[in-house]
Amino acid sequence: ETGVTQTPRHLVMGMTNKKSLKCEQHLGHNAMYWYKQSAKKPLELMFVYNFKEQTENNSVPSRFSPECPNSSHLFLHLHTLQPEDSALYLCASSRRDRGATNEKLFFGSGTQLSVL
Amino acid sequence: SQQGEEDPQALSIQEGENATMNCSYKTSINNLQWYRQNSGRGLVHLILIRSNEREKHSGRLRVTLDTSKKSSSLLITASRAADTASYFCATVGGYSTLTFGKGTMLLVSP
């Protein structure tokens, strides 16, 4: 148990559906992240939130919409996805101090998403 | 990009043997970290080595860092079947977030 909980663990959706992924951390961290993991590819950083403010958006298509209502919760809202969006979506959190560069990430177990 | 690249892509060994994985990166870093991932699960942090450190140990893990060659290695001694997983290196430069490589898939057979 890493202290980062993701739901659901598995999700199958059609291209016209709207769904949301949820992430919750119980570690008192102030930064939260969404990563995408596709087969044979490096982990791709999608979004970073620091103290609820989005600090990074790595050219992610608008069909992925993040929401961070507080430092403990992170959502990824999905709509009109494509089959190539099928992947493992991982949430992570860290304690990001100002100027800190030695933070380590704590990951959830991920949501395995299949888009039909 | 300072993305790390692991080598080999896959490694198969017998229980009790040592496993060595390498990571190369392109730009200067503040630290390098190794993570482990069991199939279909999240990543778990193993060890962090700072740019001014050359070697670090944690249990059966030994990590080295050569900043002149921009490379790191992870050694797992006396491997066990439970060590079967994918191993990733991740680098941090400046104030940027961790970037990961594609990983090395390790299979340890009983």
Side-chain angles (χ1 to χ4, degrees), chain B residues 32-98:
Chain B
L32 185 145
Q33 303 180 30
W34 285 91
Y35 286 78
R36 165 199 166 122
Q37 183 182 33
N38 287 70
S39 181
R41 309 291 291 185
L43 282 73
V44 176
H45 180 268
L46 293 176
I47 196 164
L48 180 153
I49 186 165
R50 294 179 172 77
S51 59
N52 61 354
E53 297 175 313
R54 291 296 166 258
E55 188 171 311
K56 205 159 181 182
H57 297 254
S58 176
R60 293 184 296 112
L61 304 180
R62 174 179 165 246
V63 169
T64 61
L65 179 63
D66 187 335
T67 52
S68 67
K69 294 181 179 177
K70 292 187 170 58
S71 67
S72 173
S73 68
L74 170 68
L75 169 68
I76 304 174
T77 59
S79 62
R80 305 165 182 166
D83 294 326
T84 294
S86 292
Y87 292 82
F88 297 84
C89 70
T91 53
V92 177
Y95 299 122
S96 63
T97 308
L98 282 168

Side-chain angles (χ1 to χ4, degrees), chain A:
Chain A
E1 180 57 55
T2 62
V4 180
T5 303
Q6 285 188 247
T7 54
R9 284 285 288 125
H10 302 273
L11 179 62
V12 179
M13 58 187 288
M15 289 191 282
T16 57
N17 292 159
K18 289 184 182 181
K19 295 286 184 184
S20 296
L21 310 185
K22 180 182 175 183
C23 177
E24 184 175 358
Q25 58 96 0
H26 308 277
L27 301 168
H29 289 164
N30 55 8
M32 296 187 77
Y33 313 76
W34 280 116
Y35 281 88
K36 175 184 177 183
Q37 187 176 33
S38 306
K40 312 277 187 205
K41 284 185 169 183
L43 263 74
E44 299 171 54
L45 177 65
M46 299 175 73
F47 302 104
V48 181
Y49 278 82
N50 193 15
F51 287 107
K52 303 188 299 178
E53 299 297 321
Q54 187 179 122
T55 56
E56 285 188 53
N57 174 343
N58 279 4
S59 303
V60 180
S62 59
R63 56 186 185 269
F64 295 91
S65 174
E67 178 190 0
C68 188
N70 54 61
S71 294
S72 299
H73 294 85
L74 185 64
F75 296 89
L76 188 62
H77 304 299
L78 316 171
H79 64 98
T80 58
L81 294 192
Q82 305 298 312
E84 59 264 28
D85 296 323
S86 298
L88 181 67
Y89 288 84
L90 292 163
C91 172
S93 70
S94 72
R95 190 178 72 96
R96 177 172 273 201
D97 297 323
R98 177 175 238 170
T101 58
N102 291 325
E103 61 193 288
K104 62 182 184 182
L105 299 186
F106 292 76
F107 283 84
S109 296
T111 294
Q112 186 66 54
L113 174 67
S114 298
V115 181
L116 305 179

